Amino acid sequence: MKNLKGVSTALFVAILSSFIILMLNTAAFSADTCVNCHKDDKFRVQNKQLFDYYKNWEGSDHDVAGISCQDCHGGDPTKEKKEQAHAEHLSPYDESSMVSYKNIPKTCGKCHEKVYNNFIESKHFKALGRDVNGPVCITCHGNPLTNVYYTSIVLSTCTGCHNLQTNNHPEIVGSAENILHRLNVCRGLLKWSSRHLEASKLEGVNQLYQDISNSWHQFNFTNAEKESKELLDQLRALFREAHKWEKKTK
Ligand code: HEC
Ligand code: HEC
Ligand code: HEC
Ligand code: HEC
Ligand code: HEC
């Protein structure tokens, strides 16, 4: 009898806790109706493109940081019905949409203020919507992915305007390739360094990485070239120094 009582208490606790978990989950879901509806597996078949946009966001830096659909698209994420949730939502083909090509920098800039302030210095931004549809944030970062696209994808968009026929700075494409290549190597070395060296040793290189990002988003490639070479040299020196030190202590 005593045993049975123990079992039923355990059972009761188990049922109660799964009920609470269920309640919490439901609350979390209904807090963002955009995600709740868009993640529906039925779209995989019904509307593949729509589903892919959801899939690109899922697990991205933005998802992890709690940035959701309405932060870039608008709309009301508390409404269950599509028509009400979409009420203020506009297609990217609508000029006033938050994600129309021309408005993308401003929308991203709400949160990425520093990058935005650099970008508006560029010749690309100044010509945006006037005569040039040069690159905007998603040309290189994808949407809503946050990694820089493969170098080859980025470069193929640049080549459209910067080539020998247009004679608009055709050398820029090679320069962009070199900088992106150095940044790739630097990112690997930075990752290694942050695991093996104390933070105080990395202040200089972290600052330099930020400087490159600033120059890059201004499309000031003269500076970005110089800074990316400098960063690579500094990181290689740190790497060599750390190895020497490791050998000595062995
Ligand atoms: C109940 C389901 C449902 C909810 C809730 C919902 N959507 Fe949608 N959404 C859809 C469907 C279905 C489509 C495909 C086009 C259509 O049927 O209107 C769509 C299309 C879209 C598109 C592309 C539209 C276009 O015109 O190109 C965007 C962007 C979008 N939704 C964002 C959002 C955002 C942001 C929210 C929350 C504020 C949201 N959705 C809430 C079902 C939903
Ligand atoms: C970081 C900003 C950002 C977030 C977060 C974001 N989007 Fe988008 N989305 C954009 C931008 C910019 C575009 C327009 C450019 C493009 O089509 O790639 C877009 C385009 C779309 C489109 C294509 C519309 C069309 O008609 O071509 C759909 C569908 C969409 N987003 C759905 C979603 C859904 C669903 C979520 C949340 C799960 C979401 N987006 C989260 C920025 C974002
Ligand atoms: C509502 C705020 C918000 C908006 C709008 C937004 N982001 Fe973000 N973004 C964040 C946060 C928060 C993070 C994660 C923390 C961080 O790295 O800054 C992030 C991360 C990123 C990263 C990775 C940063 C890194 O250090 O690796 C990139 C790239 C990025 N966002 C690009 C964009 C682009 C492009 C858009 C527009 C299409 C956009 N973001 C719109 C808030 C936002
Ligand atoms: C021509 C390609 C290109 C364009 C256009 C571009 N970026 Fe970047 N972005 C890069 C590269 C390259 C890096 C540096 C490598 C990295 O951090 O992944 C970077 C880094 C970033 C970072 C992380 C570093 C930092 O300084 O915070 C954010 C956030 C970001 N970009 C947001 C944006 C936003 C917002 C826009 C539009 C206003 C934009 N980018 C336009 C290529 C681009
Ligand atoms: C739709 C056309 C177009 C595309 C695509 C384009 N650009 Fe440009 N770019 C221009 C124009 C126009 C200028 C201004 C030229 C001038 O006034 O000297 C420019 C200027 C620049 C400059 C500054 C040159 C200087 O000396 O000030 C750089 C750097 C640059 N682009 C890099 C890129 C990169 C990298 C890409 C690809 C991610 C790219 N561009 C894609 C049209 C484009």
Side-chain angles (χ1 to χ4, degrees), residues 1-18:
M1 211 37 207
K2 218 177 175 187
N3 256 349
L4 242 173
K5 212 173 172 187
V7 168
S8 60
T9 311
L11 201 66
F12 178 71
V13 171
I15 290 171
L16 187 70
S17 50
S18 46

Side-chain angles (χ1 to χ4, degrees), residues 65-196:
I67 308 301
S68 189
C69 323
Q70 86 281 356
D71 288 312
C72 293
H73 288 284
D76 185 347
T78 65
K79 296 287 191 291
E80 301 276 348
K81 288 219 168 66
K82 186 184 80 182
E83 288 69 21
Q84 289 167 321
H86 282 187
E88 290 169 51
H89 159 71
L90 297 159
S91 152
Y93 302 105
D94 191 313
E95 281 216 347
S96 62
S97 158
M98 284 165 75
V99 297
S100 71
Y101 199 78
K102 189 160 61 62
N103 291 339
I104 286 172
K106 202 166 87 206
T107 297
C108 309
K110 278 194 303 184
C111 303
H112 300 289
E113 208 179 334
K114 190 157 39 62
V115 174
Y116 178 72
N117 287 336
N118 285 312
F119 188 69
I120 57 178
E121 294 292 314
S122 71
K123 288 184 176 157
H124 288 143
F125 180 79
K126 288 178 180 142
L128 195 61
R130 212 170 56 225
D131 40 1
V132 174
N133 263 337
V136 294
C137 321
I138 56 161
T139 313
C140 303
H141 292 291
N143 161 57
L145 284 177
T146 47
N147 303 322
V148 176
Y149 270 143
Y150 291 118
T151 304
S152 56
I153 299 180
V154 173
L155 295 181
S156 69
T157 54
C158 317
T159 314
C161 295
H162 297 286
N163 57 53
L164 289 170
Q165 271 83 45
T166 61
N167 204 24
N168 175 357
H169 305 280
E171 75 288 350
I172 272 169
V173 182
S175 176
E177 186 172 14
N178 287 336
I179 301 168
L180 287 173
H181 174 67
R182 280 184 216 117
L183 278 178
N184 276 335
V185 179
C186 287
R187 260 197 304 278
L189 287 169
L190 270 173
K191 229 188 210 157
W192 182 90
S193 306
S194 63
R195 262 185 270 136
H196 293 86

Side-chain angles (χ1 to χ4, degrees), residues 25-46:
N25 267 339
T26 316
F29 281 148
S30 55
D32 191 340
T33 56
C34 319
V35 171
N36 199 16
C37 181
H38 275 259
K39 73 174 184 184
D40 195 325
D41 225 30
K42 74 178 180 220
F43 293 129
R44 197 192 289 273
V45 205
Q46 283 177 10

